[in-house]
Amino acid sequence: MITLKQAQTMIDTALQTGVDAGWKPLSAVVLDAGGHVQAFARDDGAAPGRFEIARAKAYGAVMLGMGGKAQMARAEAQGYFMAAVNGIYGGQTCPVPGGVLIRGEDGAVIGAMGVTGDTSDNDAEAALAGIAAVGLTGEA
C-alpha cells in the first residue's frame, strides 16, 4: 500500500526534478493498485488539462501491469490491440512514457504514477525519481 505521505513525497520529488532540470512545468498523480487517485499536484504554470493526461498515463500502467514505455512499444507493434484496450477502458489510457508502475518490496504492483508536462521520457524520469525517493521500485 502507498501512504498519502509517500504519494505526496513522490509528487513533490517529481515536480522538483523538473524544476531542477529546467523542464516545462509538470503535473503528477499517484494511483493506488485499483486505479483510484491518491494524490495529485500541478506545478505553477502547468496547463490545466494535465490532470487527465497524468491520470491516463498512470491508469494504463496499473490496469495493464506495464509501464508507459512497454505500452508504447505494444501500441507500435499491435495498434489494434491497444486501441481496443483503450476502448475497453473508456478512453482512459495514454500508452506513452510517463506512466510508471509502482512495485512494493515483494514485487507486487501497488499503484502507478503518471507525470506529464515535458517530453514523455523526461516525464518518466521525474516519476522514477519520485518513486525512488520513498524507497519503492518504479517500472517505466
Side-chain angles (χ1 to χ4, degrees), residues 8-33:
Q8 290 172 327
T9 298
M10 285 187 256
I11 289 170
D12 290 345
T13 301
L15 297 183
Q16 190 61 51
T17 296
V19 169
D20 292 347
W23 298 338
K24 294 176 185 172
L26 300 178
S27 296
V29 67
V30 174
L31 306 182
D32 66 17

Side-chain angles (χ1 to χ4, degrees), residues 51-69:
F51 169 78
E52 288 82 1
I53 298 169
R55 185 189 171 283
K57 287 182 175 187
Y59 190 77
V62 77
M63 289 295 122
L64 295 171
M66 64 176 77
K69 289 182 183 184

Side-chain angles (χ1 to χ4, degrees), residues 80-115:
Y80 290 117
F81 173 75
M82 289 303 285
V85 165
N86 201 29
I88 290 164
Y89 289 122
Q92 296 182 69
T93 66
C94 184
V96 297
V100 179
L101 283 176
I102 303 170
R103 294 190 181 271
E105 291 180 17
D106 64 356
V109 174
I110 59 172
M113 184 171 192
V115 176

